[in-house]
Amino acid sequence: MRAFFNASTNALNQITRLFIFTWGTDAAIWNLRWQYRGLKNEIGTTHGEETIKKRLIEGSGINGVDFNSYYDKLTWEDHQEELTKYVLFVLFSVYESWLEELAEVFGIKSDTTKHEFVKGFQFITDPKKKSDIKINLKKYVKNDSSILSILASAYQQSNKQKKISNIDNTFIAYRLFKEIRNTLIHGNTGADKELVLLYSKYASLSNTDLGLKEKPFVHPIILGNPIITDLRGVVGFSEILIRILLYIDNELMKNSKFEKLFVLKTTEVIAGIKDEKDKLKIKKIHWKLHFDFGYPNNKINELEVFLKSKNII
């Protein structure tokens, strides 16, 4: 996946690491449950709890594990629920931190403006017309750069499997999982009317409506009832979050103010190329930019004009 801003690349890497950790942890919990119960049946817990601990965690540096409470009193479903909540909380933390970093890239200093920037990229429509994704893109994508628009189009093509097919449907899914997260973090005391309405809208969508091979599963949400989580569904939601992230990155990079960033990236590429005749040099620069950043093969003339206008060649 190609992204323009360093903050976007870092966020994507965090999500990747999260799921490497998630599935590894899930498998470890499953296996440790069986190991603990097998040792418990063999040794017993009357005098063997410390022996069991020694067998299972010796050398790890881990202390204070209550295996009896964790593996006897909690079910596999309980473990899945706790891991699912962790993943969901981290996903939104990564996304919102990424938006805050982008606000800094845009030079936003005011806390109020930064709040509106971050909030805006979490709603498809703001009834108060102050801040939503459409308002934000109109506000922050000004004076489109022709060279960056070319690069953005190339990024979109290279990430076509991550393309958003319908932004409104995509944000129905985003808002549903965000409200599920909010309900869980406040104690999961029961779904409110807003969450039930979001679930109803989401339930009416197909995987095709979302542009996905598989629609992330969500257990039915009933007014006043606690939320039932699903790990596979949350992992599926991460695909939606990645698509939103790439979409926003792709749109914001078109702003002409980021030509300086593109010049910096280009200058770093040129630094490794020996001084040669312009035509040969531009081909080498283009090849490097195509390899490193995905700059399209059929736009070499536009690249040459841009580099000359910036006195790079």
Side-chain angles (χ1 to χ4, degrees):
M1 293 177 285
R2 296 188 186 278
F4 183 72
F5 298 103
N6 289 337
S8 303
T9 300
N10 291 338
L12 291 169
N13 288 339
Q14 287 182 67
I15 293 172
T16 299
R17 290 195 298 271
L18 173 63
F19 288 110
I20 292 172
F21 169 81
T22 298
W23 293 126
T25 301
D26 209 26
I29 292 172
W30 173 262
N31 279 285
L32 199 55
R33 285 176 61 85
W34 284 103
Q35 289 180 52
Y36 171 73
R37 290 180 176 180
L39 287 170
K40 179 182 173 182
N41 290 336
E42 178 186 339
I43 301 171
T45 56
T46 304
H47 302 290
E49 188 69 23
E50 290 305 313
T51 302
I52 292 173
K53 285 184 180 181
K54 186 176 181 181
R55 291 275 293 274
L56 293 176
I57 61 175
E58 186 175 25
S60 67
I62 298 172
N63 296 304
V65 179
D66 185 350
F67 283 105
N68 184 50
S69 294
Y70 194 71
Y71 289 112
D72 277 347
K73 296 180 181 179
L74 296 179
T75 65
W76 169 245
E77 288 71 27
D78 292 332
H79 293 153
Q80 292 286 283
E81 180 179 359
E82 291 305 312
L83 185 58
T84 302
K85 288 194 290 186
Y86 168 79
V87 173
L88 193 60
F89 296 167
V90 172
L91 279 175
F92 281 107
S93 176
V94 169
Y95 183 72
E96 291 172 15
S97 295
W98 167 69
L99 289 174
E100 289 177 359
E101 286 188 57
L102 283 188
E104 293 178 7
V105 171
F106 272 88
I108 298 172
K109 303 297 183 184
S110 162
D111 288 341
T112 300
T113 306
K114 183 180 289 187
H115 173 75
E116 288 180 355
F117 180 93
V118 173
K119 178 184 175 183
F121 283 117
Q122 299 185 71
F123 288 89
I124 191 63
T125 303
D126 179 9
K128 297 180 181 179
K129 301 298 181 184
K130 287 186 176 181
S131 184
D132 59 39
I133 188 169
K134 295 175 182 178
I135 292 171
N136 269 13
L137 290 178
K138 185 176 181 180
K139 181 177 180 180
Y140 292 103
V141 185
K142 294 181 178 179
N143 304 317
D144 285 14
S145 161
S146 59
I147 196 74
L148 292 181
S149 294
I150 289 171
L151 190 61
S153 178
Y155 277 15
Q156 189 177 58
Q157 183 62 26
S158 68
N159 293 327
K160 61 183 177 181
Q161 291 182 330
K162 306 294 183 184
K163 184 179 178 180
I164 289 179
S165 57
N166 184 300
I167 191 70
D168 294 271
N169 291 341
T170 299
F171 266 84
I172 288 174
Y174 178 89
R175 290 309 315 167
L176 173 65
F177 279 90
K178 179 63 185 289
E179 291 305 321
I180 288 174
R181 174 261 185 198
N182 290 346
T183 300
L184 292 173
I185 211 166
H186 288 103
N188 197 15
T189 54
D192 60 16
K193 291 181 180 179
E194 181 181 0
L195 187 50
V196 172
L197 178 60
L198 280 169
Y199 173 74
S200 177
K201 291 180 179 179
Y202 181 76
S204 70
L205 300 176
S206 67
N207 62 310
T208 304
D209 294 328
L210 293 166
L212 300 172
K213 291 182 179 179
E214 179 182 337
K215 178 182 173 182
F217 177 74
V218 177
H219 286 280
I221 294 177
I222 301 169
L223 184 65
N225 286 8
I227 303 300
I228 302 172
T229 60
D230 183 83
L231 183 58
R232 184 179 175 85
V234 169
V235 171
F237 166 68
S238 72
E239 175 73 13
I240 292 173
L241 200 65
I242 287 171
R243 291 181 183 218
I244 293 173
L245 189 155
L246 288 171
Y247 173 78
I248 294 172
D249 177 275
N250 200 250
E251 292 299 312
L252 292 181
M253 69 176 283
K254 298 174 185 176
N255 190 314
S256 58
K257 73 181 292 180
F258 297 118
E259 284 187 351
K260 292 180 180 179
L261 180 55
F262 182 62
V263 167
L264 178 62
K265 292 175 183 284
T266 306
T267 303
E268 291 173 353
V269 168
I270 293 174
I273 300 175
K274 294 180 180 179
D275 199 17
E276 302 173 28
K277 291 182 179 179
D278 278 355
K279 287 296 180 183
L280 180 57
K281 187 177 181 182
I282 187 64
K283 286 180 181 179
K284 288 194 173 184
I285 293 170
H286 175 259
W287 180 85
K288 280 289 291 178
L289 290 176
H290 174 73
F291 182 80
D292 291 353
F293 308 122
Y295 189 86
N297 289 319
N298 62 342
K299 297 292 182 178
I300 191 169
N301 291 335
E302 289 85 345
L303 178 63
E304 183 174 4
V305 170
F306 174 78
L307 295 179
K308 285 183 176 179
S309 73
K310 301 298 182 182
N311 297 315
I312 295 175
I313 59 170

